[in-house]
Amino acid sequence: MAKVNGATLIARSLKQQGVEYMFGVVGFPVGPIAEAAQAAGIKYYGMRNEQSASYAAQAVGYLTGRPGACLVVSGPGVVHGLAGLANAQQNCWPMILIGGASAVHQNGMGAFQEERQVLIATPFCKFAHAVEHTHRIPFYVEMAVRYSIYGRPGACYLDMPDDIILGEVDEEKVQQAATVVEPPRMIAPEQEVERALNVLEGAQRPLIIVGKGMAWSRAEDEVRAFIERTQVPFLASPMGKGVMDDNHPLSVGAARSHALQEADVIYLLGARLNWIMHFGKPPRFNKNVRIVQLDISPEAISQNVPAEVALVGDGKAIVGQLNKALEKRQWFYPKDTPWHAAIAAKAEANAKQIAPQAEDNSNPMNYYRAFKDISAILPDNAVIIGEGANTMDIGRTQMPNKSPRLRLDAGSYGTMGIGMGFVIAAAVVHPDRPIVSVSGDAAIGFSGMEIETACRYNMPVKIIVLNNGGIGSGIEALPDDRLKIPPRVMSIGSGYEKLMEAFGGRGWYVEDPKDLRKALDELMAHNGPGLVNVKLAPTAGRKPQQFGWHTS
Ligand code: ADP
Ligand code: MG
């Protein structure tokens, strides 16, 4: 009778479930799984650190709708992978972490890298389990895939002990599982849809907030139709950018604080009123704001601010219901209201404030000057990855997105170090699109060795480092007493482009703003991995903000 081992079963099951990509770092006992994955036709990418591997797996999950797999060794490998699990949980993105484990018969004996892995993974997972029988692997893989994408998406963990991986069973004894179909799209009761539209019709200053839940649910056509039909201004969340074109005339992106403060009705679509949205509370929000909230997760409704109407279910399906219900109504939000005028005035004032910085050719340059050239060379179809505090925050306002799921950044968990994992994920999912990462110098440090990974797989990724020599800001010169270096400060003028050159890619170093455009043009034209390292003034910062970044 034909026999099959655990490694082959896990690879075959993942493939059957539509898991196309695996990122990992091999070693005991997972090497055979990586090889079996390649043999099964899964695209395996060997990474340099498990954190980056786990970030890549979840970004692939978000971009494709099917979870990415991350393969890590026992003990420390799983511990490193937890970073990605936590990030995936906070972002509501699907991934499956597969951790090797010491053999079951050595449990409790102080085995090599023995760790209580299911226990430590559980707080970050929708489902975590140690596979105890080789023949049940397909059952657990089906469960992990289903849990990761049904309902609010998230992470799952499968613990694979050495003896289960190497264990052999008769093909006929294998417990086969059905293939997980696309998640069901739940709709809202008709009367709630009508109530939601009644609230909108009563608004003086309505605002729609579009979150990454809408990007995940592929609701762009419905959201675009809804906004065109109702003419209500909208604000995109950081990764909700592109569900609507950022340059759409109804975008309030350039007058964000004002719009949030003044809106009297907010449609919260696949977004949370968490720290990114200032908890929906005064002084950032109107204290009498009426919330219509659409979310797939019932537990998310009314977090921080009670929702007047709850639309629980799938974003695409429910905005489709709203559009349908609107066919029976005449109402739309009139053009040229004081609300429009106030938003336009605020946006203009903001643009005026930025303009002198964008035109300032001092050497070394400031952020806005750098972004002037970067936004000019960005193709509409690029996937844009951003990380680093100032770099990412300013980048959100200066690099527009036209289409959904083309922006990846530190997200709900505010994780620095996601950059290169996300870059690699974007490159594997979208080989046909330019992949452009704009990273701070501190941020690239967390995952910089993955530049080697990008070079090894010959991914033509474009990496731009805005290098001010520190976390937040740098310093003009390091003090002679090195113990007096301020904690935020890093080396001055570090040659990050040489890291790229070290592995066979191309690098550029730019100090004078007049040289930036040429380097960026060459980067975009280069048919392989490249890195432009842009020296910024060490004290370069963000334009003054009305509120501190985490004012509640
Ligand atoms: P953002 O950071 O863009 O504000 P969040 O991550 O805070 O977005 O919120 C996204 C929300 O989208 C989560 O509360 C999640 O439950 C919800 N969500 C996820 N999938 C769907 C879906 N298919 N339909 C509607 N909402 C969804
Ligand atoms: Mg910096």
Side-chain angles (χ1 to χ4, degrees), residues 228-249:
E228 292 303 343
R229 166 68 181 76
T230 59
Q231 291 293 306
V232 172
F234 69 92
L235 174 71
S237 77
M239 287 195 269
K241 278 161 69 69
V243 171
M244 290 293 296
D245 184 344
D246 276 335
N247 290 324
H248 191 285

Side-chain angles (χ1 to χ4, degrees), residues 90-92 151-153 185 209-214 216-217 237-240 269-274 276-277 293-297 300 313-316 411-412:
Q90 294 292 329
N91 267 346
C92 315
R152 174 186 270 183
R185 294 190 181 272
I209 297 179
V210 183
K212 63 182 176 301
M214 303 311 279
W216 161 257
S217 82
S237 77
M239 287 195 269
L269 306 182
R272 287 171 286 183
L273 294 178
N274 58 13
I276 293 181
M277 289 298 168
Q293 186 176 359
L294 187 170
D295 204 290
I296 200 160
S297 166
D314 176 67
K316 183 180 177 73
S412 304

Side-chain angles (χ1 to χ4, degrees), residues 17-21 57 60-61 64-69 94-96 144-145 148-149 154:
Q17 297 298 345
V19 175
E20 292 291 332
Y21 306 98
V60 154
T64 66
R66 238 32 210 186
M95 68 170 283
I96 300 176
V145 169
S148 75
I149 57 175

Side-chain angles (χ1 to χ4, degrees), residues 94-163:
M95 68 170 283
I96 300 176
L97 181 66
I98 300 164
S102 41
V104 173
H105 64 82
Q106 294 175 350
N107 276 352
M109 296 173 71
F112 175 66
Q113 299 182 334
E114 184 177 356
E115 185 51 85
R116 291 183 294 169
Q117 298 173 175
V118 174
L119 182 71
I120 60 178
T122 296
F124 308 110
C125 285
K126 293 179 75 180
F127 168 64
H129 190 77
V131 177
E132 63 290 88
H133 296 292
T134 300
H135 72 274
R136 297 197 69 204
I137 287 173
F139 172 86
Y140 287 121
V141 170
E142 187 273 349
M143 204 164 155
V145 169
R146 182 159 42 83
Y147 271 61
S148 75
I149 57 175
Y150 278 34
R152 174 186 270 183
C156 294
Y157 176 70
L158 291 178
D159 204 56
M160 292 293 296
D162 182 38
D163 44 351

Side-chain angles (χ1 to χ4, degrees), residues 367 388-391 439-443 465-474 488 490 536 538:
Y367 282 104
N390 281 325
T391 304
S439 176
D441 58 317
V465 177
L466 298 187
N467 183 356
N468 65 353
I471 301 172
S473 60
R488 67 170 200 287
M490 315 216 150
L536 296 189

